[in-house]
Amino acid sequence: MPEVCRLVVLISGSGSNLQAFIDSIARGELRASIVGVVTNKASATGLQRAQAANIPTEIIDHTQFATREQFDIELCARVQSYRPDLVILAGFMRILTPAFLRPFAGKLLNIHPSLLPKYPGLHTHQRALDAGDNAAGATVHFVTEQLDGGPAILQARVPILAGDNAEQIAARVLQVEHRIYPQAAQWFAENRVQLYNDRAVLDGAPLPNTGFIYQD
Ligand code: GRF
């Protein structure tokens, strides 16, 4: 790893996780530099967070491409132009094809708002409520061709309290997302975590399928 890990962050929405990265870098906890923020949505309010932090931004409108793959080829070229060491999906609401995934294998992270391997896909908190779960959470994982199924790195739990609705759970989960996502990126920057033989490995030892369990 070069001295400062170069990050490109992909967003589609509010970018609160992007903000958590910006803040963690400013505090000196995450020793990395965000060299670009790329979005598929011109309306993504996270763009303003990037601009306020003087980070270059780009909009690549997916509706201007005939196929998912053509969009991914362009996205890949634009992301590559920043020479990232690590690419961070932070609320990037596009399913990516191998045209994007293969060139970034082992260098691409996502955060998913559930206790993976439970509840890949959408509506995770409602599904946890419907199942009567007493906990929800978020998981940082390497991205592979399996949707929300790549090897987990770091997972945080929050309680589901009596009377909670999905929005209340989402707000509680977001708070822990903001702690674990920069932490996982710092492990990558320090070369402590790698994708090896389709497993996430931390300090030389393969992680369980939940990833490392975060303790406050
Ligand atoms: C988060 O809930 C994250 O788990 C999911 O997308 C949301 C992004 O939120 N992948 P934000 O744009 O970072 O605020």
Side-chain angles (χ1 to χ4, degrees), residues 54-74:
N54 289 317
I55 300 166
T57 59
E58 288 200 47
I59 301 161
I60 310 174
D61 178 358
H62 64 274
T63 65
Q64 301 303 306
F65 295 82
T67 66
R68 205 176 269 282
E69 193 166 42
Q70 280 167 18
F71 168 73
D72 280 8
I73 290 168
E74 177 63 15

Side-chain angles (χ1 to χ4, degrees), residues 11-19 45-46 49 89-93 110-114 124-125 137-139 148 170 173-174 177-178 181:
I11 62 169
S12 299
S14 94
S16 71
N17 278 286
L18 165 65
Q19 189 66 53
T45 52
R49 301 179 190 268
L89 301 181
F92 186 67
M93 299 303 285
N110 183 42
I111 190 158
H112 182 73
S114 80
T124 52
H125 305 313
T139 310
D148 300 326
V173 168
L174 259 189
E177 290 188 26
H178 299 161
Y181 210 178

